[in-house]
Amino acid sequence: MKKSKYLGKLLFSFIAFIMLTLNVNAASATVGVSTSASQVVVGNTVKVTVTISSASALGSWEYSLYYDTSLFSLSSSTVDLHYAGYASNASTKSVSYSYTFKAKKSGTGKFYVNQTDVVGWDENRMTVTNGSRSVKVITQQQLQASYSKNNYLKNLEIEGFELNPAFDKNTLEYSVTLPPETEKIKINATKEDSKASISGAGEKEVSLGLNKFEIIVTAQNGSEKKYTLNVIVQELEPIEVAIGNSKFTVVRQAEMLEVPVTYEPLTVFIDGEEVPALYNENLNITLVGLKDANGKIALYTYNEKDSSYTLYQELKFGSMSIVPKEYDKKLSGYEEVEIEINGIKVKAFAKEGNKEFYIIYGMNTVSGNTQLYKYDKVENTIQRYEDGLVNDELTKNYVIVMALFGAGLVLSMLIVLGLLTSKSGNNYSGKEIKNIFNDNGWNDKPLSKKEKKLKAKQDKIEAKEKEKLAREEEKRLKDEEKNAKKKIKELKKQMIKDKETSKENDDEMYMLFDKNKK
């Protein structure tokens, strides 16, 4: 009997424990809050979801959703912000409701529920845990400023071949030389920032000669960095030439040559083989492409008579191109210097202390004219230097004649002034008359009548002589002045003629340029 009572108590305790456990599980629920994003830009929307859930069947529920009204405004929702609902069957354990909010200004706002109440299907009130979620609002500028700017590659390679130079994330151009008859390569590229993207890598087809590939890295903020691969497939039997101690190979693919303005394609024979070339009929210059040991291609002038090659350099200024030339004369007031224009070293003339303007000598590829040009280093522009080739000697002669003319004019004025003084009545003071007498060997003693006559006659003769000499001198100076004016007139005509010739050359240059463009 005692044993039976003991078993009954134990069974009751076990059932009570099970019921208590079931009651505890059924009595808990969560009213959670979730958002479609933790950060939103001003003007955009964020979705907020309220979810009521429990391990036990839900009967009814009630809640209120709160938010920062200074940062957000409600755009749409499936139910009201304060809502009460109920389950239609005993299988409901979770329900959700959605709200859409628009961001108004930057800051951090909180979405949370309060005044919650959940009752189970068994009509017992549940213990509720309330949820919340914070959302940061930023401006478009803040968003862009937060984006990563890293658009570097971490590694770049062509499988089985070495890059020249070795890879460095700051080096943007590389060359790779492949053996003859190579048809495919595989480009591997790794980005430094996981938020960036890469295009241009993978398996690529190649053909004989130069093949260019671009690998573009785009950072999270949209900025791009371009890496260039110059992949050169070698020829089976290259044509080799030597310039000094350096060896080059002749480029046989016309598409590998960069054609300068005013040049037309043609072919020439080198070592008995036909190769592509470029020709300027106006300048009578033939260019061919040569490739150095590093795979770099440049244009060289080709002299077919002695099979010689000279590096071709061309300065480009918009539609104008100038080939630098040696100038074997000196410019007065200028010193010879070496400057760099568009990556090309050029000999120039500059005034001491002036580092903005230079005079260079070169040939216009359109007109064929060779002359001096004024180069503005600050604005990287060029124009004809008219004081250069426009008759230096004429300019010097002009200056000399003008100087002589000025000197003659001054002398003429002095002589005329002297004549006017000698004819003005000879109003000398007593002291001046005494000095004149002493200079001529006369003393202060009174002259006799005869001596006075003789002196008067002598004075008259001397006065006539002086007057005659003055007239001759005045005539001579007038003749010189007349000749000087004539010479100046001729010089001006010559300078005007030279300027008109220069203008005609310019007109011809631009006509040729327009013709070549068409």
Side-chain angles (χ1 to χ4, degrees), residues 268-271 286-288 300-304 307-310:
V268 295
F269 284 88
I270 299 178
D271 290 351
T286 301
L287 303 177
V288 296
Y300 287 76
T301 58
Y302 174 60
N303 190 329
E304 198 169 358
S307 297
S308 61
Y309 302 86
T310 306

Side-chain angles (χ1 to χ4, degrees), residues 157 237 252 303 323 333 383 416:
E157 66 173 9
E237 296 180 3
R252 296 186 184 182
N303 190 329
V323 178
Q383 65 181 31
V416 171

Side-chain angles (χ1 to χ4, degrees), residues 240-489:
E240 294 185 347
V241 298
I243 303 176
N245 297 324
S246 301
K247 289 186 177 181
F248 300 82
T249 57
V250 178
V251 176
R252 296 186 184 182
Q253 288 76 40
E255 62 272 12
M256 296 173 68
L257 302 180
E258 185 177 347
V259 183
V261 178
T262 72
Y263 282 80
E264 297 292 335
L266 80 164
T267 57
V268 295
F269 284 88
I270 299 178
D271 290 351
E273 293 193 39
E274 191 175 24
V275 298
L278 304 169
Y279 182 66
N280 185 315
E281 184 178 4
N282 193 37
L283 307 179
N284 193 26
I285 292 178
T286 301
L287 303 177
V288 296
L290 298 182
K291 181 170 59 179
D292 63 16
N294 295 322
K296 184 179 179 180
I297 296 174
L299 293 174
Y300 287 76
T301 58
Y302 174 60
N303 190 329
E304 198 169 358
K305 292 181 179 178
D306 58 6
S307 297
S308 61
Y309 302 86
T310 306
L311 181 63
Y312 178 77
Q313 294 181 313
E314 187 175 280
L315 305 175
K316 296 180 180 179
F317 302 94
S319 60
M320 182 184 291
S321 296
I322 304 296
V323 178
K325 295 285 186 180
E326 291 285 341
Y327 192 63
D328 56 0
K329 297 179 183 179
K330 289 187 177 180
L331 290 180
S332 178
Y334 288 81
E335 60 179 349
E336 188 173 330
V337 296
E338 186 177 72
I339 61 174
E340 188 172 297
I341 303 176
N342 301 337
I344 298 175
K345 291 184 178 180
V346 180
K347 287 186 178 180
F349 298 92
K351 288 188 176 180
E352 187 176 355
N354 192 333
K355 296 183 179 180
E356 293 185 2
F357 297 97
Y358 299 88
I359 306 300
I360 64 172
Y361 188 60
M363 178 175 61
N364 190 302
T365 60
V366 176
S367 67
N369 290 338
T370 302
Q371 64 183 67
L372 291 172
Y373 291 88
K374 184 178 181 180
Y375 170 64
D376 184 338
K377 186 176 182 180
V378 176
E379 296 187 356
N380 194 35
T381 57
I382 194 170
Q383 65 181 31
R384 289 183 301 109
Y385 181 61
E386 294 185 0
D387 293 333
L389 290 183
V390 181
N391 297 321
D392 286 340
E393 292 301 321
L394 288 176
T395 305
K396 290 177 183 177
N397 291 337
Y398 178 79
V399 173
I400 293 171
V401 170
M402 287 298 292
L404 290 173
F405 171 68
L409 187 60
V410 172
L411 186 57
S412 298
M413 291 176 65
L414 291 173
I415 292 173
V416 171
L417 183 61
L419 290 171
L420 291 173
T421 304
S422 65
K423 295 178 180 179
S424 63
N426 298 325
N427 295 320
Y428 298 110
S429 65
K431 187 177 179 181
E432 289 173 330
I433 294 172
K434 183 179 179 181
N435 290 336
I436 293 171
F437 271 66
N438 289 334
D439 291 341
N440 287 276
W442 302 323
N443 51 35
D444 294 335
K445 293 180 181 181
L447 296 175
S448 64
K449 193 174 183 180
K450 185 177 180 180
E451 286 175 335
K452 287 181 178 179
K453 267 185 165 185
L454 183 61
K455 182 177 179 301
K457 186 178 181 180
Q458 183 67 28
D459 289 344
K460 192 175 182 180
I461 293 171
E462 288 181 357
K464 285 184 177 181
E465 274 302 316
K466 286 182 180 179
E467 189 176 348
K468 180 182 178 183
L469 290 172
R471 283 197 301 268
E472 290 176 352
E473 181 64 20
E474 185 178 4
K475 183 177 181 302
R476 185 182 68 79
L477 290 173
K478 284 184 177 180
D479 289 341
E480 285 186 359
E481 182 182 348
K482 185 178 180 181
N483 291 332
K485 287 182 178 179
K486 184 178 179 182
K487 184 68 174 176
I488 291 170
K489 190 174 181 180

Side-chain angles (χ1 to χ4, degrees), residues 9-79:
K9 288 181 179 181
L10 184 62
L11 180 61
F12 176 78
S13 298
F14 178 74
I15 293 171
F17 175 77
I18 294 299
M19 292 298 294
L20 181 62
T21 302
L22 291 173
N23 188 48
V24 170
N25 288 338
S28 64
T30 299
V31 181
V33 178
S34 63
T35 58
S36 58
S38 60
Q39 181 174 282
V40 63
V41 177
V42 173
N44 291 348
T45 59
V46 61
K47 183 179 178 181
V48 179
T49 302
V50 176
T51 301
I52 300 93
S53 61
S54 175
S56 301
L58 298 173
S60 62
W61 49 86
E62 183 179 10
Y63 69 87
S64 291
L65 176 64
Y66 292 90
Y67 64 96
D68 189 336
T69 56
S70 67
L71 300 181
F72 300 95
S73 61
L74 180 63
S75 297
S76 63
S77 64
T78 55
V79 295

